[in-house]
Amino acid sequence: MGDNQQLLNLLSLPNVLLDPSKQQQAVTQLCQLMNTDSDEPRIVQPSIKLLSSHQPLTRIVVMTLVQRHVGRNPDIMPQATNALLKCAVDPNPAVRRAAVSTLARMPDSGDITQPVIAAALRDPHPSVQRAAAVACRVFPRTTQNCHIDHIDELYRLIRSDDALLVHACLTTLDVILAAEGGVVINRAMVRHLSSRSRSLPDAVLVDVLRLLCRYQPASDEERLAVMNRLDWVLASPRPHLIEAALELFFHLCSGDLSHLRADAVSRAAGALCSPGNSPREWRWAVLQLVRSLGTEHHAAFAPHYRYFIPRPSDGETLSVQMIQFLWRLTVPSTASATTAAAAASASTASPVSRASPVSSAAAPAATVAPAVVRELTTCLTSPPLRESAAQSLLRVAAHRPELAAAVVEPLCRLVKDDGGGNIGGNTGRNGIGGGNAVGNGLGNNIGYGNGNSDGFRDGFRSGVGDGASDLPSSAQSGAAVVAGALNHSDLAPLSSAARRRLLSTLLSSDLESLPAHALCRLLEALGRWGGALPTVAARLRRLAHSGESGEVRRMSDNHGALGCVVDDVGSISPPSCITKNCTALRAPSVRLALLETVARLFIYRPAELQITLGVLMERAISEGGEVAATAARLYAALQVTEGRELMDGEREEDEREEGGERTPSVSVTPT
């Protein structure tokens, strides 16, 4: 408040316009007030007289203040209008520019402002013309009168040599002609803008390229001419430019020129994925652009797969995104054969096509697939990337059967080592790299862990410090990682041999020591794919009876005859054989998952799982709640539909490979 009063006293001086030092002091205080957003409307009225000053900076500052307050304080408009009209014809172009911008924002000043804007559009200085073009964009919002002369003049100024003026005119025309579909792009305008595209700044060029998408060329020759003039943009390493250029090229490449879309993407891929230490934000933009192109164009980036390998500077979020995309580079595009045929039969080829000829996407995809598998296998040693890497590896195996063995073995080692105790290190707190030596990241001090969970945790602490903050408990188990990766529905093409190998390894692990989250994942994977496994029934029986000792004793009392049928039908092991409790079974989610998994697999192995399912249902009904409701639903499905609604269509392949038919289901009646 004291500063405002001091400024008011300064502005009230009769000789403030004649004293340059007083003017400078007043301008300084005005700027300070505006920068701190503490200026008050009562400051505006006495400041208007400074518009008559001979100092250009003084008038520009006051006009900026008037723009901020003219909407909230319309009383200042009559006093300011006359001074602004004089500033609009000032010899200084900066003063004229500020006057035009201020007048355009004055409410109910149409009759006064229209001639000023018209004169400013013909001003010899481009900055004043830019202000007038922007004023035309603001001005129609305050009045319904917009002379046709403004539109004609704006179209004329598009041919100006000033790139910023061209951009202002295009943007203004697109706004004031929105009711008619926006700015009209004709052939002459396309030729002019595309010819001078190299001189336009990036921000201007992006808008220009998107506006050119509205133009529909009359012939293929005209399409090729436009693409040839803009071909240099595809070689630019700037993602925002390439994105706008590809949008335009996809618009132009229609009919007989549709094969040139693949040419444009191939040319852009080389520029986008050029080697170098590009910043993280840049790499994120490239990844989002490549994803938006669609799967039919992903194979064009296969030769540049190294660009999508995570780097220490990427951070965890971007690294996971890269890992989740990397596997797509190993899948050949289904449109490659069609594209190659179209390119061969095309009668006219553009320089784009000659610079980047179309090649079959299958060849580069097959070439880089082994290298991608090696890179993804290395990422299994990094806890933040482990699950994404496992999912990507399985997707590679699903689309590349010849690499299934190379994919399955490291995943099996991950399960056996309980999350990586025996896998070489090279991990750190950044989630990508940073271990001091092979094995020192996840192993113990001398090289490798002992393979169990304790060895893994101890090795991690000794290699990179305290693992508690870097390694969540749900990520410590390799079984949880592999089981979670197997639960994705897009793994139907994965061979039955690969699935059986992974599931057999999971079954041989110490299921009773897994946490609840990991065990739920594993049971879900078994329910989806485990119908053909010969050992699944026995393993589930053992797991079902590894709960709390009280539950085991109660079940054994109700089923005293179990011991005589174990060897005959492979039923549940007697309580005397139970040596380890599964604490995870105390969680309702695990009990639900176990019940649903046994019910699903009962369809395939009823003789082996009949008693197990009955015991689990009896336990669920006696427990009540959600578990009992699930047991009732499963019981109804098994009785009414013989379990067909519990089956997954993917299991038919497993049944055919085993050469047998599904055994008819046996009724399950809880005791």
Side-chain angles (χ1 to χ4, degrees), residues 130-288:
R130 289 198 300 270
V134 175
C136 291
R137 191 189 318 163
V138 178
F139 188 61
R141 299 178 184 176
T142 59
T143 179
Q144 297 298 323
N145 298 323
C146 182
H147 293 322
I148 194 66
D149 295 341
H150 290 353
I151 298 177
D152 294 339
E153 193 66 28
L154 288 170
Y155 271 113
R156 183 186 68 83
L157 291 176
I158 291 176
R159 304 185 66 86
S160 171
D161 293 333
D162 186 82
L164 296 179
L165 176 59
V166 172
H167 182 255
C169 292
L170 287 172
T171 306
T172 298
L173 286 170
D174 203 41
V175 171
I176 65 179
L177 297 177
E180 303 175 16
V183 59
V184 179
I185 306 295
N186 54 34
R187 182 175 183 178
M189 191 182 300
V190 171
R191 183 178 181 85
H192 170 71
L193 293 175
S194 59
S195 298
R196 57 171 306 183
S197 59
R198 293 179 181 271
S199 62
L200 298 177
D202 288 356
V204 176
L205 183 56
V206 168
D207 289 341
V208 167
L209 292 174
R210 289 173 176 163
L211 286 175
L212 293 183
C213 291
R214 301 181 183 179
Y215 180 66
Q216 197 64 251
S219 63
D220 288 346
E221 288 76 15
E222 186 178 357
R223 297 174 189 271
L224 290 171
V226 175
M227 287 190 289
N228 287 337
R229 288 193 291 268
L230 295 174
D231 176 59
W232 70 272
V233 183
L234 295 176
S236 169
R238 287 158 287 190
H240 57 288
L241 281 184
I242 293 183
E243 181 179 6
L246 286 175
E247 182 180 353
L248 175 60
F249 273 59
F250 283 9
H251 167 71
L252 297 175
C253 296
S254 60
D256 294 337
L257 300 180
S258 58
H259 64 281
L260 292 181
R261 293 185 179 183
D263 285 319
V265 174
S266 298
R267 185 160 172 77
L272 287 172
C273 304
S274 58
N277 294 324
S278 53
R280 177 170 54 186
E281 295 77 13
W282 201 293
R283 286 167 57 79
W284 179 273
V286 171
L287 178 62
Q288 301 311 313

Side-chain angles (χ1 to χ4, degrees), residues 293-373:
L293 294 177
T295 56
E296 65 272 18
H297 295 296
H298 287 166
F301 293 85
H304 313 285
Y305 74 94
R306 293 184 179 277
Y307 184 85
F308 300 95
I309 297 173
R311 302 173 183 176
S313 59
D314 287 342
E316 182 176 332
T317 301
L318 178 56
S319 299
V320 170
Q321 296 282 333
M322 290 285 191
I323 289 296
Q324 292 175 347
F325 173 78
L326 190 57
W327 71 273
R328 297 184 181 275
L329 303 183
T330 66
V331 181
S333 173
T334 56
S336 59
T338 304
T339 302
S345 60
S347 57
T348 306
S350 73
V352 178
S353 179
R354 291 193 296 270
S356 179
V358 176
S359 59
S360 174
T367 302
V368 306
V372 170
V373 169

